[in-house]
Amino acid sequence: LDARWWYAINIALAALSTICIYAAARLFFDRMPSFVAAALFAASVPMCSVVAQLSTVHYFLAIILGALATIAYVIAVRRDNALLAIVSAFVYLAAMLAKEVAVPLPLFLTFVPRRSRYVTAHWLMLPVYFIWRRLVIGTFFGAYSWVIAPGEWPKLLLMLPWRVLKAMAGPNLFVGLTVIALMLIGIVLAAKQSREALLVTIVAMIVVFGPILPLAKEVNRRYVLVPWIACSIAFAAGARHRKVLLAAAPLLLIVANRQEWSTEFATRLRMSNEARFLVDMPVNGLLESPTTPPGTMEELNWLKLEQLHRPAGASWFYDDFYLCSHDLSGKRVFSYNAGRFVDATLRVHCGSIRYDKPLTVRFHWHNPAFAWDLGPYTTGTYTALLADGYEAFKIPARDALNIPGVTALPIRIRYDSPEGWTTYSPGFNLDLVKQPQFEWHRQ
């Protein structure tokens, strides 16, 4: 349960990725622009999220290996060294295996530092990666993700730039967008230097922003970490002779970073406290609505029972319906409040649920896509409960999710109205194979 060494490794890899970005930039720029590019990466808003989560260490591995592959390739081309180019190709394969954000790298290497036959080895690594991926996880592309229908693309593409900007800017949009505006000035200056510079800039942006397209419905902070690297290096390229821009952008970014960090660290600290509390919680305890994701709670519980050999019994729930559908005799409900876990057993009540309100539920399963259409309300909030609230996820009224490997689903729908009342559907034990279409109404 002592995670300090894991975090020490995570921080060390974050530092190493920063150094590798600096080293790659130094192949093209002087010290100061290269330093600024690396500093912009280290102080970025997405970095706050990635460095605080052990589960995102593969981003650092992919960045380190991708930078090393780029460095080896550029040196190989400049020295006409075929062996070093092959080494670069294998490092590129390792980067892809760490995280698929590295997959488009050969498209960039084709144009940097100049067109070269040595990039052929990198392209040959692509089929190796996809075959490996198919053998390991059973699919060439994608996994768990939102389904995007053809008719949704125009709106999503229009909204995507704003979603990316928000993810890069952080909670203080004024400060964050000001930093991005300064960086855009540098990127434009870089693209205007020559036709080749314009081509390289366009290709680089396609390489780093292209993989975000399948994730257009939900742009998390970590998704924009690699695009931010490209923007940082392009900014340094354009602003390398403009000291005011080189100084202003990273200094202002530190302000955005600290504001993001205060929120991010508070969330991660609460999750850490919840995890430790679950391990030591009384066997009759129930933890109310943890911030920690359901999948993490499941894994932690496995660790607690199978590896630490702690007594079973303690559990958690994400929706109050769990309390209304289970026998709570002898149970104690704990809630997180201002850094402490307090006994909330006396506040449990189930009388506010309205079962006289209309509700419509439609499900459709076309392997691996699970689609839903909920109504009749166009405002308010819908929540999908699994196992009566043991897990809960807020969902839009209409959408679809790819859930490969899932053939059964114990689901219940909750609706919260803007007026303050709540209603639930019955619980549905869906057999997706035998009944791919399901519909239920309450008038």
Side-chain angles (χ1 to χ4, degrees):
L1 291 179
D2 187 353
R4 285 177 296 180
W5 282 109
W6 290 103
Y7 278 107
I9 292 170
N10 211 40
I11 293 171
L13 289 173
L16 182 57
S17 63
T18 307
I19 293 169
C20 287
I21 289 171
Y22 173 80
R26 280 289 285 131
L27 293 172
F28 305 95
F29 313 132
D30 293 334
R31 290 179 182 175
M32 184 53 66
S34 301
F35 174 80
V36 169
L40 289 172
F41 164 73
S44 66
V45 167
M47 187 70 152
C48 293
S49 176
V50 176
V51 78
Q53 301 179 68
L54 297 180
S55 59
T56 53
V57 66
H58 52 309
Y59 279 86
F60 292 135
L61 296 176
I63 291 168
I64 291 167
L65 294 168
L68 292 176
T70 302
I71 292 169
Y73 174 78
V74 172
I75 296 175
V77 172
R78 290 176 177 176
R79 297 182 180 177
D80 198 18
N81 189 323
L83 179 60
L84 192 56
I86 294 173
V87 170
S88 171
F90 277 99
V91 176
Y92 162 62
L93 175 62
M96 287 191 290
L97 294 176
K99 184 64 181 170
E100 60 269 21
V101 294
V103 169
L105 184 61
L107 183 61
F108 176 70
L109 297 182
T110 300
F111 296 92
V112 176
R114 66 174 185 268
R115 293 172 181 83
S116 170
R117 67 186 186 278
Y118 288 150
V119 78
T120 304
H122 298 76
W123 288 110
L124 292 175
M125 289 299 171
L126 277 176
V128 176
Y129 163 74
F130 283 112
I131 292 171
W132 194 325
R133 179 184 175 90
R134 178 68 174 82
L135 292 173
V136 172
I137 66 174
T139 180
F140 290 112
F141 300 98
Y144 292 91
S145 61
W146 293 101
V147 176
I148 301 178
E152 294 179 294
W153 276 112
K155 182 179 178 181
L156 286 175
L157 290 176
L158 285 173
M159 292 296 298
L160 183 59
W162 174 239
R163 289 175 176 171
V164 170
L165 287 175
K166 285 179 64 177
M168 288 180 170
N172 189 326
L173 289 179
F174 176 77
V175 175
L177 292 178
T178 302
V179 175
I180 293 173
L182 291 176
M183 293 179 67
L184 285 175
I185 294 173
I187 293 171
V188 171
L189 292 172
K192 289 175 64 177
Q193 291 175 5
S194 65
R195 287 186 178 182
E196 184 179 1
L198 176 61
L199 178 62
V200 170
T201 302
I202 293 172
V203 170
M205 295 308 162
I206 292 173
V207 166
V208 295
F209 284 101
I212 296 180
L213 291 178
L215 309 168
K217 282 190 175 181
E218 185 182 15
V219 180
N220 292 327
R221 293 279 198 271
R222 65 182 184 274
Y223 298 165
V224 299
L225 182 63
V226 173
W228 181 268
I229 296 173
C231 293
S232 300
I233 294 175
F235 166 78
R240 63 182 187 272
H241 300 307
R242 292 168 171 82
K243 294 182 179 180
V244 173
L245 277 178
L246 287 178
L251 289 175
L252 197 56
L253 183 59
I254 291 173
V255 177
N257 174 286
R258 291 299 83 193
Q259 292 176 333
E260 170 73 8
W261 180 255
S262 63
T263 303
E264 185 70 27
F265 183 72
T267 301
R268 301 300 161 188
L269 181 61
R270 173 173 173 171
M271 291 169 65
S272 175
N273 292 337
E274 289 171 349
R276 289 185 176 277
F277 185 73
L278 176 66
V279 172
D280 298 320
M281 193 163 53
V283 294
N284 64 339
L286 284 172
L287 181 58
E288 177 188 33
S289 302
T291 302
T292 307
T296 303
M297 296 294 284
E298 290 279 5
E299 295 297 329
L300 180 63
N301 198 48
W302 171 86
L303 177 71
K304 169 185 175 179
L305 299 179
E306 300 297 328
Q307 302 297 317
L308 304 179
H309 306 294
R310 302 291 177 89
S315 189
W316 62 89
F317 62 92
Y318 285 85
D319 191 273
D320 285 355
F321 191 87
Y322 184 90
L323 303 175
C324 306
S325 57
H326 289 73
D327 182 10
L328 298 183
S329 301
K331 293 288 187 179
R332 297 176 62 193
V333 178
F334 292 94
S335 180
Y336 188 84
N337 185 12
R340 297 172 55 249
F341 292 92
V342 297
D343 194 322
T345 307
L346 295 178
R347 74 155 195 85
V348 175
H349 57 87
C350 302
S352 61
I353 300 174
R354 299 287 299 272
Y355 289 106
D356 60 339
K357 294 293 185 179
L359 195 60
T360 301
V361 175
R362 297 184 184 91
F363 297 126
H364 173 73
W365 186 70
H366 183 71
N367 192 15
F370 178 73
W372 60 87
D373 185 352
L374 311 176
Y377 313 101
T378 56
T379 58
T381 304
Y382 291 95
T383 304
L385 276 61
L386 303 183
D388 291 335
Y390 183 67
E391 298 183 14
F393 308 90
K394 284 184 170 53
I395 57 175
R398 295 169 188 83
D399 217 319
L401 199 63
N402 287 317
I403 49 173
V406 177
T407 57
L409 206 60
I411 191 170
R412 182 187 303 269
I413 299 299
R414 168 177 173 163
Y415 171 73
D416 293 283
S417 77
E419 291 79 26
W421 53 265
T422 299
T423 190
Y424 291 85
S425 74
F428 311 116
N429 291 311
L430 301 180
D431 188 323
L432 302 179
V433 176
K434 294 181 180 179
Q435 194 177 12
Q437 302 266 10
F438 181 85
E439 188 168 334
W440 174 86
H441 302 272
R442 181 170 66 218
Q443 301 301 330

